[in-house]
Amino acid sequence: MNQTPPIADFELRRASLCQLLHWLAVGRVQPQALADAYLSAIERIDPQLNSYVDVRAGLLHDQAQMADRRRRDGVIGRLDGIPLAVKDNFDVAGWPTRAGLPDRNTPVQDDAHVTARLRAAGALLIGKTNMDEGALGAATDNPHFGATHNPHRHGYTAGGSSGGAAAAVAAGLAVAAVASDSLGSVRIPASYCGVYGLKPTHGEISARGMVTAARRLDAVGLLARSADDLTVLLQVLAGYDADDARSRRRRVAFALPDWEPGHLRVGLLPNLAAVGVEPEVIEVFEAAMAKLPHALSDRRTVDFADWNFSRTRRAGLLLMEAEMLGTFASDLAHTEKPVSARFRGMLDFAAKKSAADYAIADRVLDAATLKMRRLFAQVDVLVLPTTPQGAFPLDGPVPDSQADLTSFASLAGCPAVSLPMGHLPNGLPVGLQLVGARGSDLRLLELASVCAATLDTAPTYPVIA
């Protein structure tokens, strides 16, 4: 009698969440073996990447044993046995929530809303991932916990502020990850690391238990190795939370994924170079669009002459800096383990601004909402590169424009998906961004799956051994 051969560890770590759920369901792999495969890889590979700041092998083994028991008893959750990572600005009961800062070592009492949902679904929490100090940055070059390196090239940024989460997913050190996105903090590292990232409609996933950056911008974001994986995670985590003031009771209902790809009205910016997109990225974007004549056939140039990407991104950043003055007041007061001069300087900048300056910046969000309404009355989806550039060296200058193309969806509160669209001449990946009207999350994810199948840009694993 022929026996099905065991699945090698590197194949387990390359597999999508949906594939692993199938293998777990049919018994080809057990939760304990899956957890061991990821722990072994983290011990071997993460010293090169620095994607995690806290991994507790004993606790992961305990979770895996409980998942094994549930499977034997036939009572399992939607994500039962799946090893996932959590960005270190979400509360996990019994663990400190450091948020990239130097003196936050006290364990918290309660789970964040998303952490509780992951546990209830049977997910295995691997650990906390590295991030920019206070989530204020897009390079994950943390002065207290070190830089996270891009899995595709050591010495290059993984993006930020969720760089640790994206690097872990890209390198096969987590099946998927929960992170945060306020101006692009999930989509930027997704683009640089060649994985899939979702910023949902604002308020669709509760942000309770997440360290606040800017409440009107903060969104729980998701990182995975396929668009279908993002759909599963969104369905597990989305829903109303009465204890989150920004949570929505389906005021914007999810639109069913019923778009016909050949009949989509696709909006394109008239001149990517004029908004600061680098020539190499434009070349990859145009090559990707040339491969998508059926999925994205009805193409229309949209008018963004009234929208200054750089200026509006800066307005969003001011909102973050101003609100962080309150969020991190006690951290700024520490003298034994002080925050960095860069972080303090950005918050000091906000402190010198007036209430009128803040109000003017806040009005940009209203302008973005109106812009979004007019835009999606004309088109169904806006398609553009995720980032103006690819990953850059950690020891070089940090581009100010990283969040220029991601900030519009954040300011307007609408969903956006980043998917791999190809590689730059230097071999590093870069992402394609799909932006839709509020509530179109499932439609965007379906379109991302269609585009991904055509582009055939599955994640690569340069550091997997």
Side-chain angles (χ1 to χ4, degrees), residues 254-277:
F254 276 155
L256 296 176
D258 56 1
W259 280 340
E260 293 183 52
H263 295 85
L264 287 177
R265 298 172 301 166
V266 177
L268 300 173
L269 297 182
N271 188 341
L272 291 175
V275 295
V277 182

Side-chain angles (χ1 to χ4, degrees), residues 400-424:
D400 291 333
S401 64
Q402 288 179 89
D404 279 5
L405 303 183
T406 53
S407 59
F408 172 71
S410 296
L411 294 166
C414 51
V417 179
S418 179
L419 66 147
M421 69 173 174
H423 291 82
L424 299 170

Side-chain angles (χ1 to χ4, degrees), residues 113 117 203-206 234 236-241 247-248 250:
H113 179 83
R117 287 223 171 186
E204 287 296 345
I205 300 178
S206 170
L234 177 64
V236 168
L237 297 176
Y240 176 64
D241 177 12
S247 182
R248 59 177 71 251
R250 287 289 178 266

Side-chain angles (χ1 to χ4, degrees), residues 113 200-210 212-220 239-252 319 323 358 362 365-366 369 410-411 413 438:
H113 179 83
T201 297
H202 190 257
E204 287 296 345
I205 300 178
S206 170
R208 177 167 53 87
M210 183 182 91
T212 301
R215 291 162 298 158
R216 290 190 67 186
L217 299 174
D218 292 344
V220 177
Y240 176 64
D241 177 12
D243 293 321
D244 178 4
R246 300 289 169 179
S247 182
R248 59 177 71 251
R249 194 191 290 273
R250 287 289 178 266
R251 294 197 303 273
V252 180
L319 296 178
E323 191 154 347
Y358 182 90
D362 188 66
L365 276 70
D366 292 335
T369 296
S410 296
L411 294 166
R438 292 177 184 173

Side-chain angles (χ1 to χ4, degrees), residues 37 158 190 204-205 311 374 378 455:
E204 287 296 345
I205 300 178
R311 186 180 304 144
R374 293 192 294 269
Q378 304 170 43
L455 294 173

